[in-house]
Amino acid sequence: MPTSSTSVRTPSPSGTPGTATVPGRPGTRPGLPTWTPVVALSFGIAMVVLSEFLPASVLPALAVDVGVSEGRAGLAVAATAIAGAFTAPSIAVLLPRTDRRTVLVSLLVAAALSNVAVALAPSFAVLLAGRLLLGVALAGYWSFAFGAGTHAVPGKDHVVSSALAFGTSIATVVGVPLASVVGDAVGWRATFAGSAVLTGLGAVALGLTLPSVPPHPGAGLRMLREAVRNGRLMAGIACVVLVALGNFAAYPYIRIAIERVDAGATTWMLLAWGLGGVAGTVLAGFLARWLRPLAALAPVALSASLLLTAAATSVPVLTVAVVLWGLSMSMMPVITQLWVTRVEPERAESAMSLQVTAFQVAITAGSSLGGALLDGHGVQSLLLVGAGAAVAAGLGWAVLRVPRR
């Protein structure tokens, strides 16, 4: 990804390919593999994403304990997305000169504290406050993690993007189901307490492994304004909204879509979705050199999977649909990160923040739209609407040029 941004393309402080040091710290060993900070960044992503979706794993018990309905308790997820939508474009404006390592570590600490607040919450109001703090941490972390990763491992943007997306996949495939089991065994508060501990450990690991990441010299409100003026970037951001809205209009109700065909297959179908997601993350990294056709075809594949899910009347057909759904949707974070930073390499931080905002807005709007369609017209209607939004995104990316690396 060609760029003069110091936050994205500065060589590692050691000056030696494949090594990194933590500057300014006595006793820091040179020769630390540069992939170590990328692994730490990926673990941090896994923790904030797991924290975002934890309420869905323990919703009934959480609702009873804090004295609200399950529908109202679902606001715990929406609150995080809403806070994230406001935070993503503003955090670089508020912290234009702060070392991005400091910001990222602080955001993981904030995520850990948000989980502590939820674990100890005596009321729903306190719980929501904790979830709002998580939204700030999640959006900020997503906005800066890619640039920090490419700073630590220059010239490997597609691998860094895949590593971060892999953290998301692990959180959804392993973390969320495991949290459900833990919640049933020892209580929902224990799951948030455990997540707080793991997120805190992630902050320590990141602080020890990530080299200093200076901000772009032009970071701030001016950079954001200039990024917004890039018509091609904003057209791509609109496509991000469309594809994410298409997915999240349907994904919160995937269990209902599965149970319509075979209620006994729910667990295995969700696992199949997750395995498809892991495969999609890896595949997107391998195919990143063909970014423009990949950006066009992945949303079309998502649309096909939603249509096939709507039409499925047997478990074999549903299995194909669900695996394709997981595979195609999990390619999108990799694709969109690479797309926005190649279209706007000089203002990569702002481009990433706009991409994060697009996802958070789409999560909120898509799940609300899907719920309304489900209540009024049934599960097939939201699958059809989701498919339409996804294919529109694919068509949009097909006509937008993207610079070569």
Side-chain angles (χ1 to χ4, degrees), residues 293-376:
L294 188 64
L297 291 175
V300 174
L302 174 61
S303 177
S305 73
L306 295 176
L307 291 173
L308 194 57
T309 301
T313 57
S314 66
V315 169
V317 174
L318 183 64
T319 302
V320 172
V322 167
V323 171
L324 180 61
W325 185 351
L327 185 147
S328 54
M329 183 56 204
S330 293
M331 297 177 80
M332 296 315 307
V334 180
I335 293 167
T336 56
Q337 282 180 5
L338 295 175
W339 200 95
V340 300
T341 51
R342 289 187 191 176
V343 168
E344 186 55 278
E346 298 300 325
R347 289 167 280 272
E349 271 189 6
S350 293
M352 280 297 302
S353 71
L354 292 169
Q355 182 241 19
V356 174
T357 298
F359 264 100
Q360 298 303 316
V361 168
I363 289 171
T364 305
S367 58
S368 300
L369 174 62
L373 289 170
L374 179 67
D375 290 343

